[in-house]
Amino acid sequence: MKELQVNGQRLWQTIMETARFGGTEKGGVCRLTLSDADRQVRDWFVSECEAAGCAVSIDEMGSIFAWRPGKMDKLLPVAIGSHLDTQPSGGKFDGIAGVLSGLEVLRTLNEAGYTTDAPLELIDWTNEEGSRFTPPMLASGVFAGVFERDFAYAVVDRDGKRFVEELERIGYRGQRKCGDYKLGAYFELHIEQGPVLEAENKTIGVVTGMQGQKWYEVTVTGQDAHAGSTPMRLRRDALVACARMVESIQKIALNHAPLAVATVGLVVVRPNSRNVIPGSVFFTVDLRHPDDDVLLQMDRELREKVNAIAKESDVEAKLVNNWNVAAMEFDRECINQVRNAAEALGYRHRDIISGAGHDAVYIARVAPTGMIFIPCEQGISHNELEKTTSEYIAAGANVLLHTVLAYDEARNEARR
Ligand code: HGY
Ligand code: MN
Ligand code: MN
């Protein structure tokens, strides 16, 4: 099986084919989780997996599982997965490259008439992005026991729509209990979404772990007032206070350079009228660092700064820390299998820590897990211009294929 290679052209075409579900004028994809576009790509994915001879099931969180029989079906499946939901102005590859490379692996094994010892399971996790329904990695989190199913069901989006109602609306509230069975291993291919691999002219990232993350929601309350007749000294301008907080949040990351990152990505100004002093501002904060102790220090600095600026600006500030995930390392054997596959296939590779969050970070809590990165152009992602090449995708899918085969083989050896 060493010479087995995926069909890179078919894989590339498949990715381009799915980009039409939620495709945008600028060539990106807007496929928010549980939207109509998400339903379309799910329906497409289910039929392609069935055409590839898989038994498809949907769990309570809407995650889709395509099961390919092995020679010994009592063995725990070796899983491949990622996500098909995107950011509002997302690209064609974030998450999608991983799910469709997995489909390509199944198609390649079918054509080769090859059956692994353990069954294989290809998974599309619901709501990895967390853009519409927060927190992110919600379905993989329920699967791993990080979130209760009913907590996830009750999450509402910014229009007040509940997760479970949207799941039912698109017809993907499955019967299968979420997380009631084990995976033998889990591998996820993903674009790096950062500049390192491209800058170092590497084809494969052997992902050793993921950095920690903390998310917050801040509500600043001042007072709506007339833009013309309110003297500056009497104003309680929530937007000016927010702007000073945003600047201080950037400084917190710079204080912990070069690894710390901080982002204010969502700001809602009320009443948002050009001749009214904003009385209320809602904004989000995303802090990340590979060292949890530093992340905790950044948390302390954030709370201090927000409170001090609120006091100086004569406004109230309510800060809620609504999601945390600790920095983590992947399974040693999985990492080694990825590295060996990249080496055996002759791809230039390097170890790398993931700056982005992925479903793999939660699945690693319940199964031996590894990740494979491929470069994306200028490291740009969460952007309609997100780009990679068919060569990189094919290389990543080949590493995925041979990692899965080697892992299956190694476990078989261990049983003899
Ligand atoms: O935010 C992230 O890191 C991921 O794209 N959900
Ligand atoms: Mn992703
Ligand atoms: Mn993403």
Side-chain angles (χ1 to χ4, degrees):
M1 282 297 126
K2 292 267 179 281
E3 68 297 339
L4 205 54
Q5 297 265 318
V6 298
N7 180 331
Q9 206 198 345
R10 174 175 59 195
L11 173 51
W12 184 259
Q13 273 158 7
T14 303
I15 291 173
M16 293 307 126
E17 188 187 343
T18 59
R20 71 179 194 271
F21 302 123
T24 65
E25 255 157 52
K26 280 202 236 163
V29 181
C30 173
R31 198 160 62 217
L32 291 179
T33 197
L34 307 186
S35 61
D36 290 340
D38 188 19
R39 179 181 46 72
Q40 288 170 336
V41 79
R42 286 163 169 268
D43 293 347
W44 172 92
F45 180 61
V46 167
S47 68
E48 291 299 325
C49 289
E50 285 172 340
C54 295
V56 176
S57 61
I58 317 286
D59 78 3
E60 299 167 296
M61 285 297 292
S63 296
I64 301 169
F65 296 80
W67 188 84
R68 181 182 192 263
K71 290 178 196 143
M72 303 176 213
D73 287 345
K74 63 179 183 334
L75 294 177
L76 293 177
V78 177
I80 298 169
S82 196
H83 62 94
L84 293 172
D85 66 310
T86 74
Q87 286 287 331
S89 54
K92 297 190 181 79
F93 304 100
D94 173 358
I96 301 138
V99 175
L100 300 186
S101 293
L103 179 60
E104 177 54 34
V105 164
L106 302 186
R107 286 170 167 172
T108 302
L109 292 174
N110 288 346
E111 280 170 351
Y114 184 85
T115 304
T116 47
D117 287 318
L120 300 183
E121 192 129 42
L122 175 58
I123 305 168
D124 165 31
W125 297 108
T126 302
N127 191 40
E128 187 280 339
E129 290 294 354
S131 171
R132 180 183 179 193
F133 293 103
T134 295
M137 293 108 78
L138 194 56
S140 50
V142 173
F143 185 89
V146 175
F147 307 116
E148 291 299 321
R149 185 206 65 179
D150 290 347
F151 159 78
Y153 275 11
V155 172
V156 288
D157 68 8
R158 296 195 56 71
D159 298 326
K161 293 209 176 111
R162 284 175 74 225
F163 181 93
V164 66
E165 282 145 18
E166 286 295 283
L167 195 59
E168 284 168 351
R169 186 184 68 81
I170 66 164
Y172 274 88
R173 180 178 177 178
Q175 297 307 314
R176 185 170 177 177
K177 188 143 176 37
C178 183
D180 67 345
Y181 63 101
K182 291 219 164 302
L183 301 175
Y186 174 78
F187 293 99
E188 181 165 353
L189 164 70
H190 207 287
I191 52 172
E192 178 201 340
Q193 299 180 293
V196 173
L197 295 179
E198 184 184 57
E200 294 184 8
N201 190 21
K202 296 286 189 317
T203 304
I204 297 293
V206 180
V207 191
T208 54
M210 209 167 291
Q211 65 179 344
Q213 301 184 44
K214 281 184 165 306
W215 280 15
Y216 306 81
E217 293 183 343
V218 185
T219 305
V220 180
T221 309
Q223 187 174 54
D224 295 7
H226 197 292
S229 47
T230 312
M232 294 309 281
R233 61 185 169 75
L234 295 182
R235 294 180 177 214
R236 297 178 60 225
D237 188 326
L239 184 53
V240 169
C242 164
R244 294 177 59 205
M245 291 173 187
V246 172
E247 173 137 42
S248 69
I249 289 164
Q250 196 206 22
K251 286 196 179 114
I252 289 172
L254 298 176
N255 290 344
H256 297 280
L259 297 177
V261 287
T263 311
V264 174
L266 190 159
V267 180
V268 179
V269 181
R270 292 191 185 90
N272 218 23
S273 166
R274 66 192 68 219
N275 47 355
V276 176
I277 299 165
S280 160
V281 175
F282 168 91
F283 67 91
T284 61
V285 184
D286 176 330
L287 301 182
R288 306 193 196 193
H289 196 283
D291 178 334
D292 285 336
D293 292 340
V294 175
L295 194 53
L296 219 47
Q297 177 53 28
M298 291 167 73
D299 173 273
R300 279 192 286 271
E301 291 169 20
L302 171 69
R303 292 171 191 279
E304 256 164 52
K305 277 288 172 198
V306 165
N307 289 334
I309 292 170
K311 213 159 155 209
E312 287 155 24
S313 313
D314 188 19
V315 297
E316 277 83 53
K318 185 167 144 275
L319 177 142
V320 175
N321 171 211
N322 60 331
W323 178 61
N324 299 298
V325 66
M328 53 75 73
E329 288 193 348
F330 286 119
D331 173 83
R332 280 276 123 222
E333 192 203 339
C334 291
I335 294 170
N336 292 338
Q337 292 291 10
V338 169
R339 193 183 297 114
N340 296 344
E343 198 69 36
L345 289 161
Y347 295 131
R348 293 165 51 83
H349 60 87
R350 61 156 280 171
D351 287 8
I352 190 168
I353 287 183
S354 177
H358 303 286
D359 292 304
V361 73
Y362 281 153
I363 303 308
R365 297 186 186 198
V366 292
T369 295
M371 280 196 81
I372 303 157
F373 273 178
I374 55 173
C376 54
E377 204 168 287
Q378 295 176 49
I380 292 175
S381 179
H382 283 191
N383 182 316
E384 293 170 279
L385 303 178
E386 182 182 273
K387 248 197 215 112
T388 186
T389 66
S390 56
E391 291 76 18
Y392 282 142
I393 291 254
N398 278 322
V399 172
L400 182 64
L401 168 66
H402 287 284
T403 299
V404 165
L405 293 180
Y407 194 90
D408 181 55
E409 185 55 35
R411 282 206 320 191
N412 195 12
E413 290 293 314
R415 277 191 300 279
R416 283 195 193 116

PDB file of all heavy atoms in Angstrom, residues 232-256:
ATOM      1  N   MET A 232     -18.586  68.194  26.122  1.00  0.00           N
ATOM      2  CA  MET A 232     -17.704  67.027  26.251  1.00  0.00           C
ATOM      3  C   MET A 232     -17.571  66.612  27.719  1.00  0.00           C
ATOM      4  O   MET A 232     -17.527  65.437  28.037  1.00  0.00           O
ATOM      5  CB  MET A 232     -16.324  67.353  25.665  1.00  0.00           C
ATOM      6  CG  MET A 232     -16.349  67.596  24.168  1.00  0.00           C
ATOM      7  SD  MET A 232     -17.174  66.287  23.227  1.00  0.00           S
ATOM      8  CE  MET A 232     -15.869  65.061  23.199  1.00  0.00           C
ATOM      9  N   ARG A 233     -17.541  67.636  28.643  1.00  0.00           N
ATOM     10  CA  ARG A 233     -17.273  67.278  30.049  1.00  0.00           C
ATOM     11  C   ARG A 233     -18.447  66.537  30.678  1.00  0.00           C
ATOM     12  O   ARG A 233     -18.309  65.885  31.707  1.00  0.00           O
ATOM     13  CB  ARG A 233     -16.958  68.534  30.866  1.00  0.00           C
ATOM     14  CG  ARG A 233     -18.076  69.553  30.916  1.00  0.00           C
ATOM     15  CD  ARG A 233     -17.690  70.851  31.627  1.00  0.00           C
ATOM     16  NE  ARG A 233     -18.739  71.854  31.398  1.00  0.00           N
ATOM     17  CZ  ARG A 233     -19.923  71.824  32.024  1.00  0.00           C
ATOM     18  NH1 ARG A 233     -20.166  70.859  32.900  1.00  0.00           N
ATOM     19  NH2 ARG A 233     -20.841  72.737  31.755  1.00  0.00           N
ATOM     20  N   LEU A 234     -19.630  66.548  30.028  1.00  0.00           N
ATOM     21  CA  LEU A 234     -20.793  65.883  30.638  1.00  0.00           C
ATOM     22  C   LEU A 234     -21.077  64.522  30.010  1.00  0.00           C
ATOM     23  O   LEU A 234     -22.057  63.871  30.323  1.00  0.00           O
ATOM     24  CB  LEU A 234     -22.034  66.781  30.496  1.00  0.00           C
ATOM     25  CG  LEU A 234     -21.979  68.113  31.256  1.00  0.00           C
ATOM     26  CD1 LEU A 234     -23.306  68.889  31.073  1.00  0.00           C
ATOM     27  CD2 LEU A 234     -21.710  67.878  32.756  1.00  0.00           C
ATOM     28  N   ARG A 235     -20.209  64.136  29.083  1.00  0.00           N
ATOM     29  CA  ARG A 235     -20.548  62.912  28.332  1.00  0.00           C
ATOM     30  C   ARG A 235     -20.132  61.637  29.090  1.00  0.00           C
ATOM     31  O   ARG A 235     -19.115  61.626  29.775  1.00  0.00           O
ATOM     32  CB  ARG A 235     -19.833  62.925  26.968  1.00  0.00           C
ATOM     33  CG  ARG A 235     -20.353  64.024  26.088  1.00  0.00           C
ATOM     34  CD  ARG A 235     -19.688  64.096  24.730  1.00  0.00           C
ATOM     35  NE  ARG A 235     -20.320  65.156  23.950  1.00  0.00           N
ATOM     36  CZ  ARG A 235     -20.462  65.069  22.626  1.00  0.00           C
ATOM     37  NH1 ARG A 235     -19.988  64.022  21.958  1.00  0.00           N
ATOM     38  NH2 ARG A 235     -21.055  66.049  21.965  1.00  0.00           N
ATOM     39  N   ARG A 236     -20.954  60.582  28.849  1.00  0.00           N
ATOM     40  CA  ARG A 236     -20.549  59.228  29.332  1.00  0.00           C
ATOM     41  C   ARG A 236     -20.586  58.328  28.091  1.00  0.00           C
ATOM     42  O   ARG A 236     -21.536  57.585  27.845  1.00  0.00           O
ATOM     43  CB  ARG A 236     -21.503  58.762  30.422  1.00  0.00           C
ATOM     44  CG  ARG A 236     -21.458  59.672  31.668  1.00  0.00           C
ATOM     45  CD  ARG A 236     -22.445  59.227  32.740  1.00  0.00           C
ATOM     46  NE  ARG A 236     -22.152  57.870  33.174  1.00  0.00           N
ATOM     47  CZ  ARG A 236     -23.092  56.932  33.337  1.00  0.00           C
ATOM     48  NH1 ARG A 236     -24.354  57.218  33.048  1.00  0.00           N
ATOM     49  NH2 ARG A 236     -22.765  55.720  33.750  1.00  0.00           N
ATOM     50  N   ASP A 237     -19.556  58.513  27.283  1.00  0.00           N
ATOM     51  CA  ASP A 237     -19.521  57.943  25.927  1.00  0.00           C
ATOM     52  C   ASP A 237     -18.990  56.506  25.964  1.00  0.00           C
ATOM     53  O   ASP A 237     -17.792  56.273  26.189  1.00  0.00           O
ATOM     54  CB  ASP A 237     -18.616  58.827  25.050  1.00  0.00           C
ATOM     55  CG  ASP A 237     -18.675  58.424  23.586  1.00  0.00           C
ATOM     56  OD1 ASP A 237     -18.819  57.202  23.318  1.00  0.00           O
ATOM     57  OD2 ASP A 237     -18.553  59.299  22.720  1.00  0.00           O
ATOM     58  N   ALA A 238     -19.883  55.536  25.757  1.00  0.00           N
ATOM     59  CA  ALA A 238     -19.491  54.110  25.869  1.00  0.00           C
ATOM     60  C   ALA A 238     -18.520  53.720  24.766  1.00  0.00           C
ATOM     61  O   ALA A 238     -17.641  52.871  24.961  1.00  0.00           O
ATOM     62  CB  ALA A 238     -20.729  53.223  25.812  1.00  0.00           C
ATOM     63  N   LEU A 239     -18.623  54.364  23.604  1.00  0.00           N
ATOM     64  CA  LEU A 239     -17.748  53.959  22.489  1.00  0.00           C
ATOM     65  C   LEU A 239     -16.326  54.457  22.705  1.00  0.00           C
ATOM     66  O   LEU A 239     -15.357  53.737  22.432  1.00  0.00           O
ATOM     67  CB  LEU A 239     -18.303  54.475  21.150  1.00  0.00           C
ATOM     68  CG  LEU A 239     -17.531  54.041  19.905  1.00  0.00           C
ATOM     69  CD1 LEU A 239     -17.361  52.524  19.849  1.00  0.00           C
ATOM     70  CD2 LEU A 239     -18.209  54.543  18.633  1.00  0.00           C
ATOM     71  N   VAL A 240     -16.169  55.650  23.256  1.00  0.00           N
ATOM     72  CA  VAL A 240     -14.811  56.149  23.548  1.00  0.00           C
ATOM     73  C   VAL A 240     -14.152  55.242  24.589  1.00  0.00           C
ATOM     74  O   VAL A 240     -12.990  54.846  24.456  1.00  0.00           O
ATOM     75  CB  VAL A 240     -14.873  57.613  24.038  1.00  0.00           C
ATOM     76  CG1 VAL A 240     -13.522  58.048  24.604  1.00  0.00           C
ATOM     77  CG2 VAL A 240     -15.309  58.532  22.905  1.00  0.00           C
ATOM     78  N   ALA A 241     -14.937  54.862  25.600  1.00  0.00           N
ATOM     79  CA  ALA A 241     -14.374  53.947  26.626  1.00  0.00           C
ATOM     80  C   ALA A 241     -13.996  52.616  25.982  1.00  0.00           C
ATOM     81  O   ALA A 241     -12.909  52.068  26.217  1.00  0.00           O
ATOM     82  CB  ALA A 241     -15.414  53.715  27.722  1.00  0.00           C
ATOM     83  N   CYS A 242     -14.867  52.119  25.104  1.00  0.00           N
ATOM     84  CA  CYS A 242     -14.575  50.834  24.422  1.00  0.00           C
ATOM     85  C   CYS A 242     -13.301  50.968  23.596  1.00  0.00           C
ATOM     86  O   CYS A 242     -12.423  50.105  23.637  1.00  0.00           O
ATOM     87  CB  CYS A 242     -15.751  50.469  23.527  1.00  0.00           C
ATOM     88  SG  CYS A 242     -15.391  49.209  22.295  1.00  0.00           S
ATOM     89  N   ALA A 243     -13.165  52.080  22.885  1.00  0.00           N
ATOM     90  CA  ALA A 243     -11.980  52.265  22.031  1.00  0.00           C
ATOM     91  C   ALA A 243     -10.708  52.227  22.879  1.00  0.00           C
ATOM     92  O   ALA A 243      -9.704  51.605  22.503  1.00  0.00           O
ATOM     93  CB  ALA A 243     -12.095  53.598  21.305  1.00  0.00           C
ATOM     94  N   ARG A 244     -10.749  52.833  24.073  1.00  0.00           N
ATOM     95  CA  ARG A 244      -9.554  52.824  24.933  1.00  0.00           C
ATOM     96  C   ARG A 244      -9.297  51.409  25.455  1.00  0.00           C
ATOM     97  O   ARG A 244      -8.150  50.970  25.587  1.00  0.00           O
ATOM     98  CB  ARG A 244      -9.759  53.823  26.075  1.00  0.00           C
ATOM     99  CG  ARG A 244      -9.830  55.273  25.565  1.00  0.00           C
ATOM    100  CD  ARG A 244     -10.110  56.244  26.663  1.00  0.00           C
ATOM    101  NE  ARG A 244      -9.071  56.173  27.684  1.00  0.00           N
ATOM    102  CZ  ARG A 244      -9.269  56.538  28.965  1.00  0.00           C
ATOM    103  NH1 ARG A 244     -10.476  56.956  29.336  1.00  0.00           N
ATOM    104  NH2 ARG A 244      -8.301  56.471  29.827  1.00  0.00           N
ATOM    105  N   MET A 245     -10.383  50.660  25.694  1.00  0.00           N
ATOM    106  CA  MET A 245     -10.211  49.265  26.150  1.00  0.00           C
ATOM    107  C   MET A 245      -9.605  48.424  25.031  1.00  0.00           C
ATOM    108  O   MET A 245      -8.697  47.627  25.259  1.00  0.00           O
ATOM    109  CB  MET A 245     -11.561  48.689  26.567  1.00  0.00           C
ATOM    110  CG  MET A 245     -12.115  49.309  27.835  1.00  0.00           C
ATOM    111  SD  MET A 245     -13.809  48.726  28.160  1.00  0.00           S
ATOM    112  CE  MET A 245     -14.243  49.788  29.562  1.00  0.00           C
ATOM    113  N   VAL A 246     -10.068  48.650  23.804  1.00  0.00           N
ATOM    114  CA  VAL A 246      -9.541  47.872  22.674  1.00  0.00           C
ATOM    115  C   VAL A 246      -8.042  48.132  22.532  1.00  0.00           C
ATOM    116  O   VAL A 246      -7.240  47.205  22.375  1.00  0.00           O
ATOM    117  CB  VAL A 246     -10.284  48.233  21.368  1.00  0.00           C
ATOM    118  CG1 VAL A 246      -9.619  47.592  20.161  1.00  0.00           C
ATOM    119  CG2 VAL A 246     -11.747  47.812  21.458  1.00  0.00           C
ATOM    120  N   GLU A 247      -7.649  49.388  22.660  1.00  0.00           N
ATOM    121  CA  GLU A 247      -6.210  49.721  22.538  1.00  0.00           C
ATOM    122  C   GLU A 247      -5.416  49.035  23.669  1.00  0.00           C
ATOM    123  O   GLU A 247      -4.345  48.461  23.444  1.00  0.00           O
ATOM    124  CB  GLU A 247      -6.025  51.231  22.640  1.00  0.00           C
ATOM    125  CG  GLU A 247      -4.538  51.597  22.702  1.00  0.00           C
ATOM    126  CD  GLU A 247      -4.207  52.779  21.829  1.00  0.00           C
ATOM    127  OE1 GLU A 247      -5.020  53.727  21.859  1.00  0.00           O
ATOM    128  OE2 GLU A 247      -3.196  52.728  21.119  1.00  0.00           O
ATOM    129  N   SER A 248      -6.015  49.026  24.869  1.00  0.00           N
ATOM    130  CA  SER A 248      -5.271  48.405  25.997  1.00  0.00           C
ATOM    131  C   SER A 248      -5.199  46.885  25.813  1.00  0.00           C
ATOM    132  O   SER A 248      -4.225  46.243  26.214  1.00  0.00           O
ATOM    133  CB  SER A 248      -5.952  48.755  27.326  1.00  0.00           C
ATOM    134  OG  SER A 248      -7.192  48.091  27.395  1.00  0.00           O
ATOM    135  N   ILE A 249      -6.195  46.311  25.156  1.00  0.00           N
ATOM    136  CA  ILE A 249      -6.172  44.842  24.918  1.00  0.00           C
ATOM    137  C   ILE A 249      -5.060  44.498  23.935  1.00  0.00           C
ATOM    138  O   ILE A 249      -4.322  43.521  24.120  1.00  0.00           O
ATOM    139  CB  ILE A 249      -7.548  44.377  24.404  1.00  0.00           C
ATOM    140  CG1 ILE A 249      -8.579  44.440  25.553  1.00  0.00           C
ATOM    141  CG2 ILE A 249      -7.507  42.974  23.794  1.00  0.00           C
ATOM    142  CD1 ILE A 249     -10.021  44.390  25.107  1.00  0.00           C
ATOM    143  N   GLN A 250      -4.882  45.346  22.959  1.00  0.00           N
ATOM    144  CA  GLN A 250      -3.779  45.093  22.014  1.00  0.00           C
ATOM    145  C   GLN A 250      -2.434  45.180  22.762  1.00  0.00           C
ATOM    146  O   GLN A 250      -1.532  44.364  22.562  1.00  0.00           O
ATOM    147  CB  GLN A 250      -3.821  46.127  20.888  1.00  0.00           C
ATOM    148  CG  GLN A 250      -2.980  45.666  19.715  1.00  0.00           C
ATOM    149  CD  GLN A 250      -2.453  46.792  18.865  1.00  0.00           C
ATOM    150  OE1 GLN A 250      -2.344  47.937  19.331  1.00  0.00           O
ATOM    151  NE2 GLN A 250      -2.116  46.478  17.629  1.00  0.00           N
ATOM    152  N   LYS A 251      -2.327  46.165  23.675  1.00  0.00           N
ATOM    153  CA  LYS A 251      -1.073  46.336  24.429  1.00  0.00           C
ATOM    154  C   LYS A 251      -0.791  45.118  25.327  1.00  0.00           C
ATOM    155  O   LYS A 251       0.371  44.713  25.488  1.00  0.00           O
ATOM    156  CB  LYS A 251      -1.121  47.603  25.283  1.00  0.00           C
ATOM    157  CG  LYS A 251      -0.964  48.885  24.449  1.00  0.00           C
ATOM    158  CD  LYS A 251      -0.616  50.096  25.292  1.00  0.00           C
ATOM    159  CE  LYS A 251      -0.455  51.334  24.402  1.00  0.00           C
ATOM    160  NZ  LYS A 251      -1.533  52.333  24.702  1.00  0.00           N
ATOM    161  N   ILE A 252      -1.852  44.492  25.841  1.00  0.00           N
ATOM    162  CA  ILE A 252      -1.640  43.292  26.680  1.00  0.00           C
ATOM    163  C   ILE A 252      -0.945  42.217  25.843  1.00  0.00           C
ATOM    164  O   ILE A 252       0.037  41.603  26.285  1.00  0.00           O
ATOM    165  CB  ILE A 252      -2.993  42.765  27.216  1.00  0.00           C
ATOM    166  CG1 ILE A 252      -3.556  43.730  28.272  1.00  0.00           C
ATOM    167  CG2 ILE A 252      -2.847  41.351  27.796  1.00  0.00           C
ATOM    168  CD1 ILE A 252      -4.970  43.405  28.730  1.00  0.00           C
ATOM    169  N   ALA A 253      -1.389  42.038  24.614  1.00  0.00           N
ATOM    170  CA  ALA A 253      -0.737  41.023  23.757  1.00  0.00           C
ATOM    171  C   ALA A 253       0.702  41.440  23.462  1.00  0.00           C
ATOM    172  O   ALA A 253       1.629  40.630  23.559  1.00  0.00           O
ATOM    173  CB  ALA A 253      -1.515  40.858  22.464  1.00  0.00           C
ATOM    174  N   LEU A 254       0.908  42.717  23.170  1.00  0.00           N
ATOM    175  CA  LEU A 254       2.263  43.181  22.842  1.00  0.00           C
ATOM    176  C   LEU A 254       3.186  43.052  24.056  1.00  0.00           C
ATOM    177  O   LEU A 254       4.374  42.758  23.919  1.00  0.00           O
ATOM    178  CB  LEU A 254       2.221  44.618  22.327  1.00  0.00           C
ATOM    179  CG  LEU A 254       1.412  44.806  21.017  1.00  0.00           C
ATOM    180  CD1 LEU A 254       1.333  46.278  20.631  1.00  0.00           C
ATOM    181  CD2 LEU A 254       1.994  43.967  19.877  1.00  0.00           C
ATOM    182  N   ASN A 255       2.595  43.189  25.251  1.00  0.00           N
ATOM    183  CA  ASN A 255       3.416  43.017  26.480  1.00  0.00           C
ATOM    184  C   ASN A 255       3.912  41.586  26.628  1.00  0.00           C
ATOM    185  O   ASN A 255       4.885  41.333  27.325  1.00  0.00           O
ATOM    186  CB  ASN A 255       2.588  43.340  27.740  1.00  0.00           C
ATOM    187  CG  ASN A 255       2.280  44.816  27.848  1.00  0.00           C
ATOM    188  OD1 ASN A 255       2.915  45.616  27.166  1.00  0.00           O
ATOM    189  ND2 ASN A 255       1.293  45.149  28.672  1.00  0.00           N
ATOM    190  N   HIS A 256       3.207  40.654  25.994  1.00  0.00           N
ATOM    191  CA  HIS A 256       3.594  39.244  26.116  1.00  0.00           C
ATOM    192  C   HIS A 256       4.034  38.690  24.765  1.00  0.00           C
ATOM    193  O   HIS A 256       3.871  37.513  24.461  1.00  0.00           O
ATOM    194  CB  HIS A 256       2.432  38.420  26.687  1.00  0.00           C
ATOM    195  CG  HIS A 256       2.051  38.830  28.085  1.00  0.00           C
ATOM    196  ND1 HIS A 256       2.737  38.420  29.199  1.00  0.00           N
ATOM    197  CD2 HIS A 256       1.088  39.669  28.522  1.00  0.00           C
ATOM    198  CE1 HIS A 256       2.201  38.958  30.278  1.00  0.00           C
ATOM    199  NE2 HIS A 256       1.193  39.736  29.903  1.00  0.00           N
TER     200      HIS A 256
END
